[in-house]
Amino acid sequence: MHVGRFYLGCAVWAYRGWVRGFYPEGSRSSDFLSLYGDRLTAVEGNTTFYSVPDVETVRRWAAATPSGFRFCPKLPRTITHQGQLEPLAREGLAFLERMQGLGDRLGPMFAQLPPSYSPVQLEDLEAFLAVWPCRTAPLAIEVRHPDWFEPTHTGKLDRLLAQAGVGRVLLDTRPIYSGSDDPQVNSQRRKPNLPLQPRVTASFAIVRLISHPDRDRNTNYLDEWAQRVSVWLQQGIDVFFFVHCPQEQFSPGTAKQFQQRLENESAPVPPLPWDGVAGKTSGQLSLF
């Protein structure tokens, strides 16, 4: 039986606070992506949400990462946050063409829809997906309007996505809303407090875990996800798992904790490249 592929990463790679920790002391910003690819196997393309990189930049991204690495670019906000999607389908296809420069490093892309995009616009979403080459360019959708999580609308959304072969981004913000009394975390909450509906509507799943800086607050959620991801992989589903945190310096350590949970579950996951990086510093070890 076919076993799904597992990819693990964070939201960004160019985070200077990872130097002397996740990255070695003295690391230059121009080396961050290469260092990241030596340690983790995928990254969210959050940068593309704010600006579309030029052709040469995309080429450099591909060249800086190893074979088997995957980028999951986010569609630009100029497409997803302007109201209706279908009128901007041509712009979406132009962005897809630009991302083709990543070659075999290109993983599923995803569209994060704003809280204002409600089930009333289901037909618009359907029209946009009819234009997008879903079977050859995997795409996932993240919804944030609360009405999408009501049973009737959830069912309609899942059927539409499944018919089109489109994934549903699984945003899990439970760790940062789990009774935290940390003022710093509270002030940095930017993700919506929405129900988790861990449904798979395509041959792959994209999970975005918004972790807590206090690693003990993440324990139950990491255990739960390890069990779920292990089952999905055994069912032949590819899983892209991304760790975020309001204090981003903790994300790599939490990602490695999750890898360890999966290995403890005997999940069919490859070794983490990070484990093979020689000369780990004490700063790296302190991340977890």
mmCIF file of all heavy atoms in Angstrom, residues 49-91:
data_model
loop_
_atom_site.group_PDB
_atom_site.id
_atom_site.type_symbol
_atom_site.label_atom_id
_atom_site.label_comp_id
_atom_site.label_asym_id
_atom_site.label_seq_id
_atom_site.Cartn_x
_atom_site.Cartn_y
_atom_site.Cartn_z
ATOM 1 N N PHE A 49 2.601 36.209 0.071
ATOM 2 C CA PHE A 49 1.325 36.836 0.400
ATOM 3 C C PHE A 49 1.434 38.354 0.284
ATOM 4 O O PHE A 49 0.484 39.035 -0.083
ATOM 5 C CB PHE A 49 0.904 36.442 1.816
ATOM 6 C CG PHE A 49 -0.414 37.014 2.277
ATOM 7 C CD1 PHE A 49 -1.610 36.578 1.740
ATOM 8 C CD2 PHE A 49 -0.457 37.980 3.269
ATOM 9 C CE1 PHE A 49 -2.818 37.092 2.171
ATOM 10 C CE2 PHE A 49 -1.655 38.503 3.712
ATOM 11 C CZ PHE A 49 -2.849 38.054 3.160
ATOM 12 N N TYR A 50 2.620 38.879 0.585
ATOM 13 C CA TYR A 50 2.828 40.323 0.621
ATOM 14 C C TYR A 50 3.416 40.887 -0.668
ATOM 15 O O TYR A 50 3.138 42.040 -1.018
ATOM 16 C CB TYR A 50 3.737 40.675 1.805
ATOM 17 C CG TYR A 50 3.147 40.247 3.128
ATOM 18 C CD1 TYR A 50 3.586 39.081 3.761
ATOM 19 C CD2 TYR A 50 2.122 40.971 3.722
ATOM 20 C CE1 TYR A 50 3.025 38.669 4.963
ATOM 21 C CE2 TYR A 50 1.560 40.565 4.921
ATOM 22 C CZ TYR A 50 2.013 39.417 5.532
ATOM 23 O OH TYR A 50 1.446 39.005 6.725
ATOM 24 N N SER A 51 4.213 40.095 -1.371
ATOM 25 C CA SER A 51 4.757 40.554 -2.648
ATOM 26 C C SER A 51 5.157 39.345 -3.486
ATOM 27 O O SER A 51 5.598 38.322 -2.943
ATOM 28 C CB SER A 51 5.965 41.472 -2.426
ATOM 29 O OG SER A 51 7.022 40.762 -1.813
ATOM 30 N N VAL A 52 5.021 39.489 -4.793
ATOM 31 C CA VAL A 52 5.358 38.398 -5.705
ATOM 32 C C VAL A 52 6.835 38.509 -6.083
ATOM 33 O O VAL A 52 7.269 39.547 -6.587
ATOM 34 C CB VAL A 52 4.477 38.453 -6.968
ATOM 35 C CG1 VAL A 52 4.860 37.329 -7.931
ATOM 36 C CG2 VAL A 52 2.999 38.346 -6.595
ATOM 37 N N PRO A 53 7.618 37.475 -5.829
ATOM 38 C CA PRO A 53 9.041 37.541 -6.156
ATOM 39 C C PRO A 53 9.269 37.542 -7.661
ATOM 40 O O PRO A 53 8.447 37.021 -8.422
ATOM 41 C CB PRO A 53 9.600 36.267 -5.510
ATOM 42 C CG PRO A 53 8.440 35.320 -5.502
ATOM 43 C CD PRO A 53 7.230 36.174 -5.256
ATOM 44 N N ASP A 54 10.389 38.117 -8.080
ATOM 45 C CA ASP A 54 10.699 38.104 -9.505
ATOM 46 C C ASP A 54 11.249 36.738 -9.905
ATOM 47 O O ASP A 54 11.512 35.873 -9.059
ATOM 48 C CB ASP A 54 11.660 39.234 -9.877
ATOM 49 C CG ASP A 54 12.991 39.168 -9.122
ATOM 50 O OD1 ASP A 54 13.429 38.054 -8.757
ATOM 51 O OD2 ASP A 54 13.584 40.231 -8.890
ATOM 52 N N VAL A 55 11.427 36.563 -11.195
ATOM 53 C CA VAL A 55 11.841 35.264 -11.729
ATOM 54 C C VAL A 55 13.176 34.826 -11.146
ATOM 55 O O VAL A 55 13.363 33.660 -10.778
ATOM 56 C CB VAL A 55 11.918 35.326 -13.273
ATOM 57 C CG1 VAL A 55 12.528 34.042 -13.834
ATOM 58 C CG2 VAL A 55 10.531 35.553 -13.866
ATOM 59 N N GLU A 56 14.121 35.743 -11.039
ATOM 60 C CA GLU A 56 15.446 35.404 -10.539
ATOM 61 C C GLU A 56 15.402 34.981 -9.074
ATOM 62 O O GLU A 56 16.106 34.054 -8.655
ATOM 63 C CB GLU A 56 16.390 36.597 -10.715
ATOM 64 C CG GLU A 56 17.796 36.371 -10.171
ATOM 65 C CD GLU A 56 18.516 35.188 -10.807
ATOM 66 O OE1 GLU A 56 18.145 34.803 -11.940
ATOM 67 O OE2 GLU A 56 19.437 34.641 -10.162
ATOM 68 N N THR A 57 14.565 35.637 -8.284
ATOM 69 C CA THR A 57 14.438 35.268 -6.872
ATOM 70 C C THR A 57 13.896 33.857 -6.722
ATOM 71 O O THR A 57 14.402 33.057 -5.920
ATOM 72 C CB THR A 57 13.529 36.265 -6.139
ATOM 73 O OG1 THR A 57 14.131 37.563 -6.163
ATOM 74 C CG2 THR A 57 13.308 35.849 -4.689
ATOM 75 N N VAL A 58 12.885 33.528 -7.490
ATOM 76 C CA VAL A 58 12.319 32.178 -7.450
ATOM 77 C C VAL A 58 13.377 31.147 -7.833
ATOM 78 O O VAL A 58 13.492 30.077 -7.220
ATOM 79 C CB VAL A 58 11.085 32.076 -8.373
ATOM 80 C CG1 VAL A 58 10.584 30.642 -8.443
ATOM 81 C CG2 VAL A 58 9.977 33.010 -7.894
ATOM 82 N N ARG A 59 14.169 31.487 -8.833
ATOM 83 C CA ARG A 59 15.232 30.569 -9.259
ATOM 84 C C ARG A 59 16.235 30.355 -8.127
ATOM 85 O O ARG A 59 16.689 29.231 -7.885
ATOM 86 C CB ARG A 59 15.936 31.136 -10.499
ATOM 87 C CG ARG A 59 16.961 30.170 -11.101
ATOM 88 C CD ARG A 59 17.938 30.882 -12.008
ATOM 89 N NE ARG A 59 18.796 31.790 -11.254
ATOM 90 C CZ ARG A 59 19.837 31.390 -10.526
ATOM 91 N NH1 ARG A 59 20.152 30.097 -10.447
ATOM 92 N NH2 ARG A 59 20.561 32.268 -9.861
ATOM 93 N N ARG A 60 16.590 31.430 -7.421
ATOM 94 C CA ARG A 60 17.540 31.306 -6.303
ATOM 95 C C ARG A 60 16.962 30.450 -5.187
ATOM 96 O O ARG A 60 17.684 29.670 -4.553
ATOM 97 C CB ARG A 60 17.911 32.684 -5.779
ATOM 98 C CG ARG A 60 18.821 33.487 -6.686
ATOM 99 C CD ARG A 60 19.538 34.600 -5.899
ATOM 100 N NE ARG A 60 18.593 35.437 -5.159
ATOM 101 C CZ ARG A 60 18.046 36.547 -5.642
ATOM 102 N NH1 ARG A 60 18.344 36.946 -6.876
ATOM 103 N NH2 ARG A 60 17.214 37.274 -4.912
ATOM 104 N N TRP A 61 15.673 30.606 -4.913
ATOM 105 C CA TRP A 61 15.047 29.782 -3.880
ATOM 106 C C TRP A 61 15.199 28.297 -4.197
ATOM 107 O O TRP A 61 15.544 27.490 -3.332
ATOM 108 C CB TRP A 61 13.571 30.123 -3.747
ATOM 109 C CG TRP A 61 13.276 31.451 -3.130
ATOM 110 C CD1 TRP A 61 14.165 32.327 -2.583
ATOM 111 C CD2 TRP A 61 11.991 32.065 -3.010
ATOM 112 N NE1 TRP A 61 13.513 33.443 -2.128
ATOM 113 C CE2 TRP A 61 12.183 33.314 -2.369
ATOM 114 C CE3 TRP A 61 10.708 31.687 -3.374
ATOM 115 C CZ2 TRP A 61 11.125 34.171 -2.091
ATOM 116 C CZ3 TRP A 61 9.640 32.533 -3.100
ATOM 117 C CH2 TRP A 61 9.851 33.769 -2.468
ATOM 118 N N ALA A 62 14.931 27.948 -5.443
ATOM 119 C CA ALA A 62 15.026 26.544 -5.843
ATOM 120 C C ALA A 62 16.471 26.049 -5.721
ATOM 121 O O ALA A 62 16.723 24.943 -5.226
ATOM 122 C CB ALA A 62 14.518 26.362 -7.266
ATOM 123 N N ALA A 63 17.408 26.877 -6.148
ATOM 124 C CA ALA A 63 18.815 26.470 -6.140
ATOM 125 C C ALA A 63 19.374 26.338 -4.726
ATOM 126 O O ALA A 63 20.320 25.585 -4.497
ATOM 127 C CB ALA A 63 19.651 27.471 -6.940
ATOM 128 N N ALA A 64 18.784 27.061 -3.769
ATOM 129 C CA ALA A 64 19.303 27.066 -2.399
ATOM 130 C C ALA A 64 18.809 25.893 -1.562
ATOM 131 O O ALA A 64 19.264 25.718 -0.430
ATOM 132 C CB ALA A 64 18.924 28.375 -1.708
ATOM 133 N N THR A 65 17.891 25.108 -2.096
ATOM 134 C CA THR A 65 17.283 24.034 -1.311
ATOM 135 C C THR A 65 17.594 22.670 -1.910
ATOM 136 O O THR A 65 17.788 22.546 -3.120
ATOM 137 C CB THR A 65 15.763 24.229 -1.229
ATOM 138 O OG1 THR A 65 15.236 24.415 -2.554
ATOM 139 C CG2 THR A 65 15.418 25.447 -0.384
ATOM 140 N N PRO A 66 17.628 21.632 -1.082
ATOM 141 C CA PRO A 66 17.984 20.298 -1.571
ATOM 142 C C PRO A 66 16.837 19.614 -2.299
ATOM 143 O O PRO A 66 15.669 20.003 -2.177
ATOM 144 C CB PRO A 66 18.331 19.553 -0.275
ATOM 145 C CG PRO A 66 17.490 20.215 0.766
ATOM 146 C CD PRO A 66 17.428 21.668 0.385
ATOM 147 N N SER A 67 17.175 18.606 -3.038
ATOM 148 C CA SER A 67 16.171 17.781 -3.696
ATOM 149 C C SER A 67 15.237 17.192 -2.632
ATOM 150 O O SER A 67 15.692 16.740 -1.582
ATOM 151 C CB SER A 67 16.850 16.662 -4.479
ATOM 152 O OG SER A 67 15.903 15.795 -5.043
ATOM 153 N N GLY A 68 13.962 17.225 -2.891
ATOM 154 C CA GLY A 68 12.986 16.714 -1.931
ATOM 155 C C GLY A 68 12.381 17.781 -1.059
ATOM 156 O O GLY A 68 11.378 17.527 -0.384
ATOM 157 N N PHE A 69 12.965 18.979 -1.040
ATOM 158 C CA PHE A 69 12.417 20.088 -0.264
ATOM 159 C C PHE A 69 11.193 20.633 -0.984
ATOM 160 O O PHE A 69 11.084 20.581 -2.200
ATOM 161 C CB PHE A 69 13.473 21.182 -0.124
ATOM 162 C CG PHE A 69 13.077 22.309 0.804
ATOM 163 C CD1 PHE A 69 13.319 22.228 2.159
ATOM 164 C CD2 PHE A 69 12.455 23.446 0.307
ATOM 165 C CE1 PHE A 69 12.959 23.262 3.012
ATOM 166 C CE2 PHE A 69 12.092 24.486 1.138
ATOM 167 C CZ PHE A 69 12.340 24.396 2.503
ATOM 168 N N ARG A 70 10.229 21.207 -0.192
ATOM 169 C CA ARG A 70 9.010 21.743 -0.793
ATOM 170 C C ARG A 70 8.671 23.127 -0.232
ATOM 171 O O ARG A 70 8.727 23.363 0.975
ATOM 172 C CB ARG A 70 7.818 20.807 -0.542
ATOM 173 C CG ARG A 70 7.922 19.461 -1.232
ATOM 174 C CD ARG A 70 7.843 19.566 -2.739
ATOM 175 N NE ARG A 70 7.876 18.263 -3.378
ATOM 176 C CZ ARG A 70 8.983 17.641 -3.771
ATOM 177 N NH1 ARG A 70 10.167 18.208 -3.568
ATOM 178 N NH2 ARG A 70 8.925 16.457 -4.355
ATOM 179 N N PHE A 71 8.310 24.030 -1.146
ATOM 180 C CA PHE A 71 7.725 25.313 -0.808
ATOM 181 C C PHE A 71 6.209 25.196 -0.975
ATOM 182 O O PHE A 71 5.739 24.610 -1.958
ATOM 183 C CB PHE A 71 8.209 26.417 -1.762
ATOM 184 C CG PHE A 71 9.657 26.770 -1.631
ATOM 185 C CD1 PHE A 71 10.632 26.035 -2.299
ATOM 186 C CD2 PHE A 71 10.054 27.867 -0.871
ATOM 187 C CE1 PHE A 71 11.981 26.376 -2.200
ATOM 188 C CE2 PHE A 71 11.395 28.218 -0.764
ATOM 189 C CZ PHE A 71 12.352 27.468 -1.432
ATOM 190 N N CYS A 72 5.454 25.783 -0.049
ATOM 191 C CA CYS A 72 3.999 25.849 -0.168
ATOM 192 C C CYS A 72 3.604 27.332 -0.188
ATOM 193 O O CYS A 72 3.243 27.910 0.852
ATOM 194 C CB CYS A 72 3.316 25.121 0.986
ATOM 195 S SG CYS A 72 3.535 23.336 0.957
ATOM 196 N N PRO A 73 3.684 27.974 -1.340
ATOM 197 C CA PRO A 73 3.450 29.424 -1.406
ATOM 198 C C PRO A 73 1.993 29.797 -1.143
ATOM 199 O O PRO A 73 1.062 29.095 -1.545
ATOM 200 C CB PRO A 73 3.848 29.789 -2.840
ATOM 201 C CG PRO A 73 4.630 28.606 -3.349
ATOM 202 C CD PRO A 73 4.074 27.419 -2.631
ATOM 203 N N LYS A 74 1.839 30.929 -0.473
ATOM 204 C CA LYS A 74 0.510 31.478 -0.217
ATOM 205 C C LYS A 74 0.163 32.455 -1.345
ATOM 206 O O LYS A 74 0.983 33.292 -1.723
ATOM 207 C CB LYS A 74 0.488 32.210 1.129
ATOM 208 C CG LYS A 74 -0.906 32.713 1.539
ATOM 209 C CD LYS A 74 -0.846 33.602 2.776
ATOM 210 C CE LYS A 74 -0.398 32.869 4.007
ATOM 211 N NZ LYS A 74 -0.545 33.719 5.231
ATOM 212 N N LEU A 75 -1.049 32.338 -1.883
ATOM 213 C CA LEU A 75 -1.464 33.260 -2.922
ATOM 214 C C LEU A 75 -1.425 34.690 -2.408
ATOM 215 O O LEU A 75 -1.753 34.943 -1.251
ATOM 216 C CB LEU A 75 -2.876 32.928 -3.417
ATOM 217 C CG LEU A 75 -2.961 32.004 -4.630
ATOM 218 C CD1 LEU A 75 -2.425 30.624 -4.294
ATOM 219 C CD2 LEU A 75 -4.405 31.906 -5.120
ATOM 220 N N PRO A 76 -1.023 35.639 -3.256
ATOM 221 C CA PRO A 76 -0.911 37.032 -2.821
ATOM 222 C C PRO A 76 -2.240 37.598 -2.326
ATOM 223 O O PRO A 76 -3.310 37.244 -2.834
ATOM 224 C CB PRO A 76 -0.448 37.753 -4.088
ATOM 225 C CG PRO A 76 0.179 36.699 -4.931
ATOM 226 C CD PRO A 76 -0.583 35.449 -4.647
ATOM 227 N N ARG A 77 -2.160 38.498 -1.363
ATOM 228 C CA ARG A 77 -3.357 39.133 -0.828
ATOM 229 C C ARG A 77 -4.047 39.997 -1.867
ATOM 230 O O ARG A 77 -5.243 40.278 -1.748
ATOM 231 C CB ARG A 77 -3.005 39.974 0.397
ATOM 232 C CG ARG A 77 -1.958 41.052 0.157
ATOM 233 C CD ARG A 77 -1.598 41.779 1.440
ATOM 234 N NE ARG A 77 -0.491 42.723 1.244
ATOM 235 C CZ ARG A 77 0.012 43.470 2.218
ATOM 236 N NH1 ARG A 77 -0.480 43.375 3.442
ATOM 237 N NH2 ARG A 77 1.018 44.284 1.971
ATOM 238 N N THR A 78 -3.327 40.408 -2.909
ATOM 239 C CA THR A 78 -3.952 41.168 -3.987
ATOM 240 C C THR A 78 -4.944 40.319 -4.770
ATOM 241 O O THR A 78 -5.752 40.845 -5.533
ATOM 242 C CB THR A 78 -2.881 41.703 -4.952
ATOM 243 O OG1 THR A 78 -2.035 40.624 -5.372
ATOM 244 C CG2 THR A 78 -2.033 42.775 -4.279
ATOM 245 N N ILE A 79 -4.895 39.004 -4.570
ATOM 246 C CA ILE A 79 -5.848 38.091 -5.194
ATOM 247 C C ILE A 79 -6.910 37.652 -4.199
ATOM 248 O O ILE A 79 -8.108 37.661 -4.499
ATOM 249 C CB ILE A 79 -5.119 36.853 -5.766
ATOM 250 C CG1 ILE A 79 -4.144 37.275 -6.866
ATOM 251 C CG2 ILE A 79 -6.120 35.818 -6.278
ATOM 252 C CD1 ILE A 79 -3.247 36.150 -7.345
ATOM 253 N N THR A 80 -6.488 37.276 -2.999
ATOM 254 C CA THR A 80 -7.409 36.656 -2.045
ATOM 255 C C THR A 80 -8.177 37.641 -1.177
ATOM 256 O O THR A 80 -9.197 37.268 -0.590
ATOM 257 C CB THR A 80 -6.643 35.698 -1.124
ATOM 258 O OG1 THR A 80 -5.607 36.424 -0.433
ATOM 259 C CG2 THR A 80 -6.009 34.565 -1.929
ATOM 260 N N HIS A 81 -7.707 38.872 -1.088
ATOM 261 C CA HIS A 81 -8.302 39.811 -0.130
ATOM 262 C C HIS A 81 -8.935 41.034 -0.796
ATOM 263 O O HIS A 81 -9.003 42.107 -0.207
ATOM 264 C CB HIS A 81 -7.248 40.253 0.894
ATOM 265 C CG HIS A 81 -6.951 39.224 1.941
ATOM 266 N ND1 HIS A 81 -6.536 37.956 1.635
ATOM 267 C CD2 HIS A 81 -7.015 39.282 3.305
ATOM 268 C CE1 HIS A 81 -6.352 37.267 2.763
ATOM 269 N NE2 HIS A 81 -6.634 38.041 3.773
ATOM 270 N N GLN A 82 -9.416 40.837 -2.015
ATOM 271 C CA GLN A 82 -10.024 41.955 -2.740
ATOM 272 C C GLN A 82 -11.529 41.811 -2.921
ATOM 273 O O GLN A 82 -12.145 42.594 -3.641
ATOM 274 C CB GLN A 82 -9.358 42.093 -4.119
ATOM 275 C CG GLN A 82 -7.859 42.327 -4.059
ATOM 276 C CD GLN A 82 -7.484 43.546 -3.248
ATOM 277 O OE1 GLN A 82 -8.047 44.626 -3.440
ATOM 278 N NE2 GLN A 82 -6.539 43.385 -2.320
ATOM 279 N N GLY A 83 -12.111 40.792 -2.289
ATOM 280 C CA GLY A 83 -13.550 40.580 -2.441
ATOM 281 C C GLY A 83 -13.815 39.275 -3.157
ATOM 282 O O GLY A 83 -13.636 38.193 -2.591
ATOM 283 N N GLN A 84 -14.210 39.335 -4.409
ATOM 284 C CA GLN A 84 -14.473 38.142 -5.206
ATOM 285 C C GLN A 84 -13.170 37.575 -5.754
ATOM 286 O O GLN A 84 -12.232 38.313 -6.106
ATOM 287 C CB GLN A 84 -15.414 38.477 -6.359
ATOM 288 C CG GLN A 84 -16.784 38.993 -5.930
ATOM 289 C CD GLN A 84 -17.633 37.918 -5.280
ATOM 290 O OE1 GLN A 84 -17.629 37.754 -4.051
ATOM 291 N NE2 GLN A 84 -18.369 37.176 -6.086
ATOM 292 N N LEU A 85 -13.116 36.247 -5.852
ATOM 293 C CA LEU A 85 -11.934 35.571 -6.367
ATOM 294 C C LEU A 85 -11.957 35.405 -7.885
ATOM 295 O O LEU A 85 -10.945 35.623 -8.559
ATOM 296 C CB LEU A 85 -11.802 34.183 -5.732
ATOM 297 C CG LEU A 85 -11.428 34.104 -4.257
ATOM 298 C CD1 LEU A 85 -11.517 32.648 -3.792
ATOM 299 C CD2 LEU A 85 -10.029 34.645 -4.018
ATOM 300 N N GLU A 86 -13.107 35.032 -8.407
ATOM 301 C CA GLU A 86 -13.183 34.661 -9.819
ATOM 302 C C GLU A 86 -12.709 35.763 -10.761
ATOM 303 O O GLU A 86 -11.995 35.473 -11.741
ATOM 304 C CB GLU A 86 -14.610 34.229 -10.153
ATOM 305 C CG GLU A 86 -14.756 33.543 -11.504
ATOM 306 C CD GLU A 86 -14.918 34.541 -12.641
ATOM 307 O OE1 GLU A 86 -15.405 35.667 -12.377
ATOM 308 O OE2 GLU A 86 -14.555 34.198 -13.789
ATOM 309 N N PRO A 87 -13.022 37.044 -10.510
ATOM 310 C CA PRO A 87 -12.526 38.090 -11.408
ATOM 311 C C PRO A 87 -11.003 38.198 -11.437
ATOM 312 O O PRO A 87 -10.447 38.804 -12.366
ATOM 313 C CB PRO A 87 -13.158 39.372 -10.838
ATOM 314 C CG PRO A 87 -14.363 38.904 -10.092
ATOM 315 C CD PRO A 87 -13.958 37.589 -9.506
ATOM 316 N N LEU A 88 -10.342 37.630 -10.440
ATOM 317 C CA LEU A 88 -8.883 37.706 -10.364
ATOM 318 C C LEU A 88 -8.222 36.370 -10.696
ATOM 319 O O LEU A 88 -7.044 36.164 -10.397
ATOM 320 C CB LEU A 88 -8.469 38.157 -8.959
ATOM 321 C CG LEU A 88 -8.937 39.572 -8.583
ATOM 322 C CD1 LEU A 88 -8.683 39.842 -7.107
ATOM 323 C CD2 LEU A 88 -8.234 40.613 -9.436
ATOM 324 N N ALA A 89 -8.972 35.494 -11.336
ATOM 325 C CA ALA A 89 -8.440 34.170 -11.671
ATOM 326 C C ALA A 89 -7.223 34.275 -12.593
ATOM 327 O O ALA A 89 -6.267 33.506 -12.461
ATOM 328 C CB ALA A 89 -9.524 33.316 -12.314
ATOM 329 N N ARG A 90 -7.243 35.228 -13.513
ATOM 330 C CA ARG A 90 -6.111 35.371 -14.431
ATOM 331 C C ARG A 90 -4.846 35.729 -13.654
ATOM 332 O O ARG A 90 -3.761 35.213 -13.942
ATOM 333 C CB ARG A 90 -6.411 36.450 -15.471
ATOM 334 C CG ARG A 90 -5.287 36.642 -16.493
ATOM 335 C CD ARG A 90 -5.676 37.644 -17.562
ATOM 336 N NE ARG A 90 -6.824 37.183 -18.329
ATOM 337 C CZ ARG A 90 -7.383 37.890 -19.318
ATOM 338 N NH1 ARG A 90 -6.900 39.093 -19.626
ATOM 339 N NH2 ARG A 90 -8.413 37.404 -19.976
ATOM 340 N N GLU A 91 -4.988 36.622 -12.654
ATOM 341 C CA GLU A 91 -3.839 36.974 -11.829
ATOM 342 C C GLU A 91 -3.338 35.765 -11.047
ATOM 343 O O GLU A 91 -2.141 35.582 -10.833
ATOM 344 C CB GLU A 91 -4.195 38.112 -10.873
ATOM 345 C CG GLU A 91 -4.312 39.473 -11.536
ATOM 346 C CD GLU A 91 -5.658 39.713 -12.197
ATOM 347 O OE1 GLU A 91 -6.456 38.758 -12.319
ATOM 348 O OE2 GLU A 91 -5.924 40.865 -12.581
#
